[in-house]
Structures are given as C-alpha cells and as structure tokens.
Amino acid sequence: MRVPLSWLREYVDLPATETGRDVQAKLVSAGLEVETVEHLGADLKGPLVVGQVLTIEELEGFKKPIRFCTVDVGQANGTGEPQEIVCGARNFAVGDKVVVVLPGATLPGGFSISARKTYGKTSHGMICSGDELGMGDDGSHGIIVLPPETEVGKDAIELLELVDEVLDIAVTANRGDCLSIRGVAREAAIAYGLPLSDPALLDVPGPNAFGYPVQVSDPLGCDRFTARTVTGLSPEARSPIWLQRRLQKVGMRPISLAVDVTNYVMMELGQPLHAYDRSLVQGTIGVRRAEEGEQIRTLDGVERKLHAEDLVITDERGPIGLAGVMGGADTEIADHAEGEGTTDVVIEAAHFDAVSIARTARRHKLSSEASRRFERGVDPQAAAAAAQRTVDLLVLLAGGTAEAGVTEVVAPSAPHTISVPADHPDKVAGVSYGRETVVRRLQEVGCDVYGQDELIVTVPSWRPDLQEINDLAEEVIRLEGYENLPSTLPRPPAGRGLTHRQRLHRRAGRVLAGAGYVEAPNYPFVSEQVFDQLGLEADDPARRVVRLTNPLNDEEPALRTSLLPGLLGALRRNDGRGSHDLALFETGLVFLPRPEQRVAAVLPVDRRPTDEEIAELDAALPEQPRHVAVVLAGAREQAGWWGRGRPADWADAVEAGRLVAREAGVELVVRGGQYGPWHPGRCAEFVAGDTVVGHAGELHPRVVKAFGLPARTCAMELDLDVLEAVGDDTPQAPAISTFPVATQDVALVVDKFVPHAEVEAALRAGAGELLEAIRLFDVYENEEQLGDGKKSLAYALRFRAGDRTLTVDEASAARDAAVALAGERTGAVLRA
C-alpha cells in the first residue's frame, strides 16, 4: 500500500517538522512494515511552469515528425516573450495548456535543461510528459495537456504536487484495514497520540423504497449491498489534477472521471466500489452464485467461464460482473469524448465473503485491487459512507444530480464480542501493563470496552482479524511497543544436549564435508513423474508417496521418498552454470506413507497435550527416516603439475557410503546389486547385518539422459536411521602394539561373479585374531593366464600379536588358514 504523506496529513494533523522517515519509524514501532519511503521530486528544480501553445510549425526532412512551437509562459522567462521549443510529441494542439521546463531547471534523474540547437532550430526548454516529471503514465502516453482554465505562468511543481513523500507499506494478510489511507491514518493517529479526522464520518441518508432495485439471493456471500444513482454527468468532465495525482502516487492510472472517483474512494476508505452505466443495466441488479457453464467478458477483455462457486452480479441478461473481483464489459463506463460518454451511473458498494472472493480470484487467476481488499477483510459498515462519498464527488466534479433513492440490502448480524481477563496481555507479554493501559489501548484501536477484572470487548467493524483474546493481547503489546518487552534468555537444564540421532546426523555431514563434498539442501517436494526418470519398477515401494493437500507447486504435489531427485536437480543446475567438477551431499528426511491412513487429531492449545494425544498425532504422521545421499560428476582429483588427476567413478560413491557407516560404528558389507537408477553392472549394495541399507555406483545412462546430467554421474544413498539402529559408535581407542607387524600377500583366483566382499570376509574369518588389517590392492583379469571367466584378487594381510613378535611360521600358518577358508567358501585358488 502506497501512502502519500500529503494525503495522510489531511486526516491526522502531524507536526509540520515530521518527515516521511519519522512517520515510518512511528508506524514500524506500531507493528506496520513500512518498507521504503520514496521522495518524489527530490532532485527536481524549476523553473517549471504552465504554458499555452501559440503556434506549431511542422519541420520536414527528418526521420520522425518534429514540431517547432512557440509557447506563452507569461513572465516566467523574465521577458514575457513566447518561448521557442522543439518537440516530437503530437498529442497537443495550438491553444492547449502544457507544462514547460525552462533553461536552468533540473528534471528527475539529474537531467539539466539548457538552450540547445537541434533539428536546425534552437530549443529554449522542453514541453514535458508525465514520465519525464516522474509522475508515471497518465494514460495519454504523451505530453501533459492541462485543463483550459489553468493559469499561464503558474508554478507547475505546486500545481502537479510533484514534491511529496510516499510510504510503501507491506500490509500483512490480517490487516486489510491498512489497505486504505483511512486505516493507515488511524494507526498514525494512535502512534502520535493525535485525533483522527475520519473521512467515513459523513451524513448518509437512510434507505428508502425509491432506490435502484437490488435482489441478493446469497446473503452468506453478500451480507450488505448499497446502491446509489447519479444522473446528468457531464460527458466532457475530466478528473481534476489533484485527483489524478493522488491516484498516480498510490500506484493507479487515471482512466475517466467516474472510474477515477470510485478508485479514489476505495484508496481513501478501503471500500471497493463499482460504477455501472445505468443505460446498459437491464432490470434488477442481483447477487447470486454462478450457474455452471455461464460466461462473462470482464473489463480486461477476457471471456471467462464461470464456476458454480463464483459469486456474480447479474441483471436480466445474466452475469454483469465477478463480485468483488472485476466488473463486466457489458456495463462498462464509457470514457469521456466530445458529445459522448456515460451520463447516468449506478454505484455499487457491497460487502462480500472474504473466502469466496479469494477463491474466485485464484480460480480465474485475476487479482485486482478490489479482490485484494475483500479477501483481507473490508469494513462492512463503510459501504454506505463510501457510496455517499462517491456520490458527493460525482456531483461536485461532473455536475451530476444525486437521486433521492437509496437501496441498502443488509443481512442481520451482531457485532463480535470477546470476553478477556484484564491481566491477559500481562501474562502473554510478561509485563505488567495494568487495566487502565489495556482499556486505553483497546479503545484507541476502536473497541468498546466494559467491565473490571473481566473485560467485555466489542470489536470494531474495520478489524475482522480480532477474533479471540490473544488477538486483543497482541494489539495492546504492539501499541505499547515490542521494543519495550524484556529480553530474557532461556536457561536449559544441565545434562541435556543433542540426541544420539542428531549427533550421528552431524557427524555424517562433517565426514562428507571433510572428504570434499559440498552440502546442498533441497526442498522435500517432488513430482510423481520423477520416479519414471529414476527408472523405478512400477511396484517399487518408493513410488508410494504422501500427497499434499495444498502444495506450493502443483507440479510437485508429493513428499520425497528419496534424496536423489533433489540432489540430481542441484547437480544439473550447477553443471549448466559452468561448475562441472561436482561432489554434493544432503542429509534429510524422506516421507513414507503408513499402511493405514489416519486423520490427525487437533491438539488443544489451552493446555499441554497428553502423552496419548501426542502418540495419536505421531501415529497419523508418515514415517520419516533420515537418509544421506551424495552425487558426483566431473573430476574427483584435479590434474596439475602433481599428476594427471582422475574422474569421479563408482568407487568414490561406494567409499562415501563406507565413510558414513564408520561414523555410525558399522562396517558395511559391499556386494554387487541392481536397483532403480543405478547401472546394473556398476551398482553396489550396502548390507548391515541382514538388512540392505543403501546403494551406490554409477547411474544408468537412461537416468543420466532423463535428468540432463553429465555422463557417468555417480550417486549413493543410505538409510541413516537403520545404521544408527545396528551400529555401535562407542569410541574405541586403537590398540597400539610395541611389536612389529608381519605382512603376507596372497593372490587368489576366483570366478568373475564372486564378489570381493565375500572373499575378504572369508580371509578375515580364516586368519583369526592375529589379522590386524586386510586390503585389496590389485584386480587382474587375463583369459590366457587365468582361464575363461576368472579373475585374480590380490590382498595385503597384516598380522600382529599384542604380546610377542610373530615368527614367520605363525604368520604363514595364519595366511594358509585364511586361504583355505576362502577356497572352501568361494572356490578361491592360490595363484601360482
């Protein structure tokens, strides 16, 4: 909401020395979010005056039309002689009054004006458009043409109100009253402790039987409808300069007098209005729900198909407006023209249901100034005053006549009343305000307050957001100043810290960061089509998702069951922006639906929920295990003077899984696998105990193509919660022996399909307690030397005893026992 300070001063007698910055500070302290203060005309310097065009000479021989004009500026140029000016605009004629900037002046943006020769003539100044003066578009897209009665030589800076300050306020969804000058003025009056000159306090005639006929068929959708009629409007009447400038300052474009007046009153009082051309309305005006399939062409020229829940304004022909959103083209006010235009209007000032208007605006993707106000809450008691204000302005500015008939259809309703203990704000804020302060602050807001210890508060009609006692407490606290609340740091009880799960989560992140991975958190929302891109089977459990009732993005309506879609998307974006060597990781929750769907219970807010209620709520939530995942692409080690470097491959993804598992105290069994997005020949399966806890390896080429990833992208994903359950991460101090190590190397020939992990496990079991470490250091395949379908695995075995130096015979015996058990379990043969 843009609020000109000059307009605000009409309703609050602010001190003359107060600047926009001062008002901003006061309103921010009162709880309004004033984002900026715009200084209009801050770098504007005259002379800028009103001139009358005397002559126009068309200059020939140039690529675009150029005119050489003489303009009477009175005594503003010091001589009284006509001012010679070159101009390219064509929307003015001889005799028109225009805005002229003379040499020596400075326009917004620091543009200095001086006499200069152009197009073979010397131009002594410039004839100005609205954009050149920082006024914005006035609808003419050209030179400003002033009313004929404007005095020649008059200061245009004062006439056009070019110097002002405008507050730009970000109005929250619950403060619809502040989408008006009246509402902001009320807040400023409270902040400064000054009286408010309420523009809605008008003498309004009561309803009678002579007004325009109106029938409201849906009183829940429209609980108040006021109709007034003004006749005899002058078709040539134009909006005065002051009205146009105020609309421009609040961000609206002047259109025509009748439309400008309704927009002006809406910005002033916060009540959206609509003016119908009376000659185009046929019969009784009605308010009802649309019939499925009905159509209407709105003022923006779009033909819209209506929904049965849409609230519409009708006449005998059918819909003539989307209630509270936008009027229809069939009853549009005709713009002023010579001898043409609307002369009789019917003015609508109504109050519509906020939810209904919000849904209609979103359904038709049609947000308007009116719908923004209705969906945030409009003062229902302001409708009659707004209609009267509109009538008064049309009579004053367009020479119209207000008909005596007043139509007012009102659904019975009672004011909202709240019972609140006088000390409730004290308890909420932890500050002792006292009853007098609480009553005074609520009365300043506009509430009627009665009672002593228990206050009976009647909420003002313009504050529909005040629904319960905590809303009233908030009003007292914000007006007393949030900055005055004491700051007390909580004192956590000793002995509590991170949970075991939280510590494992942090350790997993630290170990991956230490290995060169960069954390890339992602949103947990996915589309169900992403599982096709991942190549998951139709019956894969990961395809069962939790769907959101109100997704932020209709294309991503489900919660993730894997971290890979988000990470792969992040990798694709970074690769597309020039970062080709990538190693990303994420630790986060995935969401798995429970076999039985339950409806979550609504927990109480006046007490702590019981353990049973919390357990019931937890049972209705999806399972949320924590996973960890990595993705790699490009170079894992950079080339340089130290060597050639190497690309990331499946082994790096496997090693990332092992690093995380060791942090959980688990030594993973790694074996060949085949699952979803991974290449069937380059996929490792992680096993802890008897449970598969994850996969790692190179992604399938089809997955790489579907996601638009670099070739041979690798990935890993693990279930951290399962690792936590099976692991023992109790720190183990390493055993340090003073005795030397004995190293034995063995090369075993096995079938190609035998996993290295099975051979290693057999060697460990056979070697016994003397084996300190084992490492695979070579894999060799050669059909001529080893035979068809065979491979050689070479291991380095380290033996050590804690109480003596091992002899060669002891080390050899342990090695032979290891080889024997490997041969028994896997068919391994010692390579000659």
Side-chain angles (χ1 to χ4, degrees):
M1 176 68 190
R2 292 171 56 85
V3 180
L5 192 59
S6 59
W7 198 350
L8 190 66
R9 288 182 182 276
E10 282 198 10
Y11 310 130
V12 184
D13 188 17
L14 298 173
T17 57
E18 288 293 283
T19 66
R21 294 291 184 190
D22 299 329
V23 178
Q24 178 189 28
K26 285 282 189 180
L27 293 179
V28 168
S29 178
L32 294 185
E33 187 178 343
V34 184
E35 293 186 327
T36 60
V37 178
E38 183 179 350
H39 297 271
L40 302 181
D43 50 358
L44 177 65
K45 185 179 74 171
L48 186 72
V49 298
V50 176
Q52 184 172 21
V53 180
L54 301 178
T55 64
I56 297 178
E57 176 188 349
E58 301 288 345
L59 301 182
E60 305 291 340
F62 300 102
K63 293 182 179 179
K64 61 179 182 178
I66 298 297
R67 311 167 101 186
F68 180 65
C69 311
T70 59
V71 184
D72 177 15
V73 296
Q75 297 298 320
N77 57 4
T79 65
E81 296 295 324
Q83 203 78 1
E84 297 179 338
I85 298 175
V86 175
C87 183
R90 308 192 65 78
N91 68 312
F92 63 95
V94 172
D96 282 345
K97 302 288 181 65
V98 294
V99 178
V100 179
V101 59
L102 300 177
T106 303
L107 294 182
F111 182 60
S112 298
I113 302 298
S114 61
R116 63 190 184 95
K117 190 167 185 179
T118 179
Y119 297 103
K121 302 284 187 178
T122 301
S123 182
H124 298 274
M126 188 169 74
I127 302 175
C128 298
S129 68
D131 286 335
E132 290 164 339
L133 297 178
M135 295 170 55
D137 180 25
D138 61 357
S140 66
H141 304 289
I143 294 303
I144 300 171
V145 178
L146 299 171
E149 65 272 14
T150 310
E151 178 186 349
V152 171
K154 184 178 179 64
D155 183 5
I157 295 179
E158 179 182 351
L159 175 70
L160 300 177
E161 302 177 14
L162 296 178
V163 178
D164 202 350
E165 293 180 278
V166 179
L167 309 176
D168 194 353
I169 303 175
V171 179
T172 55
N174 65 318
R175 292 302 305 272
D177 61 304
C178 288
L179 286 174
S180 65
I181 304 297
R182 179 196 183 201
V184 176
R186 184 182 294 106
E187 292 295 316
I190 296 172
Y192 280 93
L194 297 171
L196 170 70
S197 299
D198 192 342
L201 294 180
L202 302 173
D203 290 330
V204 180
N208 53 51
F210 310 110
Y212 198 92
V214 173
Q215 180 179 358
V216 178
S217 303
D218 189 343
L220 294 179
C222 175
D223 58 10
R224 184 178 295 265
F225 195 107
T226 300
R228 299 289 299 275
T229 304
V230 181
T231 60
L233 302 179
S234 171
E236 290 80 23
R238 298 175 55 187
S239 300
I241 292 173
W242 64 265
L243 192 149
Q244 293 188 45
R245 286 298 295 135
R246 285 193 170 178
L247 289 178
Q248 288 173 331
K249 289 177 184 179
V250 298
M252 302 193 77
R253 180 172 64 87
I255 298 174
S256 65
L257 178 57
V259 175
D260 291 348
V261 166
T262 58
N263 285 337
Y264 177 84
V265 175
M266 176 180 67
M267 303 307 296
E268 181 181 53
L269 302 183
Q271 169 66 53
L273 301 109
H274 189 69
Y276 301 93
D277 188 326
R278 182 177 179 178
S279 65
L280 300 178
V281 179
Q282 298 181 11
T284 300
I285 291 177
V287 183
R288 62 169 171 84
R289 298 290 172 175
E291 296 177 5
E292 195 69 42
E294 280 188 309
Q295 292 189 336
I296 182 175
R297 186 161 61 91
T298 46
L299 290 173
D300 56 0
V302 177
E303 196 78 26
R304 302 181 186 276
K305 187 175 181 180
L306 299 177
H307 189 275
E309 292 185 5
D310 291 335
L311 196 65
V312 293
I313 310 298
T314 65
D315 65 3
E316 291 180 351
R317 296 165 297 177
I320 59 173
L322 270 176
V325 180
M326 185 173 286
D330 292 342
T331 56
E332 182 178 5
I333 297 292
D335 199 356
H336 64 80
E338 200 65 39
E340 299 179 2
T342 298
T343 58
D344 301 338
V345 297
V346 177
I347 299 161
E348 165 207 308
H351 185 261
F352 301 112
D353 176 62
V355 174
S356 176
I357 300 306
R359 288 176 177 171
T360 297
R362 284 159 179 74
R363 189 180 298 119
H364 293 280
K365 296 180 173 59
L366 184 61
S367 178
S368 63
E369 290 289 344
S371 68
R372 287 183 61 221
R373 284 161 175 78
F374 277 123
E375 63 191 36
R376 286 166 173 78
V378 169
D379 181 3
Q381 302 294 334
Q388 182 62 44
R389 176 72 164 142
T390 305
V391 168
D392 293 343
L393 288 173
L394 288 176
V395 171
L396 174 67
L397 302 177
T401 301
E403 289 195 352
V406 176
T407 302
E408 193 164 311
V409 180
V410 181
S413 62
H416 182 50
T417 301
I418 304 172
S419 177
V420 55
D423 61 349
H424 182 68
D426 301 9
K427 295 177 180 179
V428 173
V431 176
S432 179
Y433 292 122
R435 179 188 177 279
E436 290 74 14
T437 299
V438 172
V439 171
R440 174 172 56 85
R441 287 304 190 185
L442 292 178
Q443 289 175 338
E444 288 175 346
V445 171
C447 298
D448 290 331
V449 186
Y450 302 96
Q452 292 299 318
D453 294 337
E454 190 75 16
L455 303 178
I456 306 300
V457 180
T458 302
V459 174
S461 59
W462 58 82
R463 289 300 302 275
D465 58 304
L466 302 181
Q467 292 293 318
E468 47 104 17
I469 60 175
N470 288 317
D471 296 329
L472 300 179
E474 182 183 4
E475 291 299 298
V476 174
I477 294 167
R478 75 175 180 88
L479 294 178
E480 284 295 303
Y482 291 119
E483 67 277 10
N484 296 323
L485 294 177
S487 177
T488 305
L489 292 177
R491 295 183 179 180
R496 295 187 181 181
L498 298 177
T499 65
H500 185 270
R501 189 184 192 214
Q502 290 169 331
R503 289 197 297 270
L504 177 58
H505 172 213
R506 292 194 179 188
R507 289 205 308 273
R510 281 197 296 266
V511 73
L512 289 174
Y517 291 83
V518 177
E519 187 170 14
N522 295 283
Y523 288 115
F525 313 117
V526 295
S527 68
E528 295 185 61
Q529 288 72 30
V530 77
F531 302 120
D532 296 328
Q533 295 176 292
L534 288 173
L536 300 185
E537 298 290 340
D539 58 349
D540 194 300
R543 284 184 177 270
R544 293 186 63 244
V545 295
V546 177
R547 293 177 181 84
L548 299 171
T549 304
N550 55 340
L552 296 179
N553 183 350
D554 290 338
E555 296 181 358
E556 296 180 334
L559 292 174
R560 65 189 178 190
T561 57
S562 167
L563 302 182
L564 289 183
L567 275 178
L568 295 177
L571 187 141
R572 179 184 64 247
R573 287 191 298 273
N574 283 275
D575 181 72
R577 294 171 185 173
S579 298
H580 303 302
D581 303 323
L582 296 162
L584 309 179
F585 84 93
E586 180 180 7
T587 58
L589 302 179
V590 298
F591 304 87
L592 309 178
R594 296 184 185 273
E596 293 184 8
Q597 292 283 350
R598 297 189 183 182
V599 178
V602 178
L603 296 182
V605 295
D606 57 344
R607 59 174 174 81
R608 184 190 184 280
T610 64
D611 293 341
E612 291 76 15
E613 288 172 332
I614 295 175
E616 184 180 354
L617 177 64
D618 288 339
L621 297 176
E623 295 180 13
Q624 300 175 52
R626 188 176 294 278
H627 281 202
V628 58
V630 306
V631 292
L632 305 99
R636 186 68 176 124
E637 295 178 1
Q638 297 290 336
W641 57 264
W642 52 84
R644 296 172 58 185
R646 68 174 183 85
D649 61 17
W650 62 268
D652 295 301
V654 172
E655 183 59 25
R658 281 179 163 152
L659 285 174
V660 172
R662 291 190 191 110
E663 290 297 317
V666 177
E667 195 62 39
L668 291 176
V669 175
V670 182
R671 65 191 185 196
Q674 183 172 344
Y675 177 67
W678 281 278
H679 191 297
R682 298 167 188 160
C683 174
E685 186 177 75
F686 294 137
V687 179
D690 296 328
T691 306
V692 176
V693 295
H695 295 83
E698 183 180 318
L699 295 181
H700 197 288
R702 284 198 298 268
V703 176
V704 169
K705 182 179 180 181
F707 279 91
L709 304 173
R712 311 203 71 166
T713 297
C714 300
M716 178 278 295
E717 185 165 13
L718 271 175
D719 189 328
L720 269 180
D721 284 359
V722 175
L723 290 181
E724 179 190 9
V726 302
D728 179 10
D729 59 356
T730 304
Q732 299 290 335
I736 300 175
S737 175
T738 59
F739 298 98
V741 66
T743 303
Q744 297 273 358
D745 293 344
V746 295
L748 302 177
V749 178
V750 296
D751 292 330
K752 280 187 178 181
F753 64 82
V754 176
H756 138 69
E758 293 184 11
V759 178
E760 180 180 311
L763 290 174
R764 284 184 181 277
E769 296 181 353
L770 293 180
L771 181 66
E772 182 180 76
I774 182 172
R775 179 174 63 89
L776 175 69
F777 66 85
D778 184 50
V779 179
Y780 177 68
E781 295 181 9
N782 188 307
E783 291 186 3
E784 294 182 1
Q785 296 184 16
L786 303 178
D788 187 24
K790 299 291 185 179
K791 65 181 177 183
S792 171
L793 303 177
Y795 295 89
L797 309 177
R798 291 168 56 91
F799 298 99
R800 195 195 311 257
D803 56 351
R804 67 188 187 282
T805 300
L806 292 179
T807 64
V808 174
D809 291 340
E810 287 178 308
S812 298
R815 179 202 63 191
D816 294 342
V819 171
L821 188 57
E824 179 182 332
R825 290 185 179 180
T826 67
V829 177
L830 193 64
R831 181 180 168 189

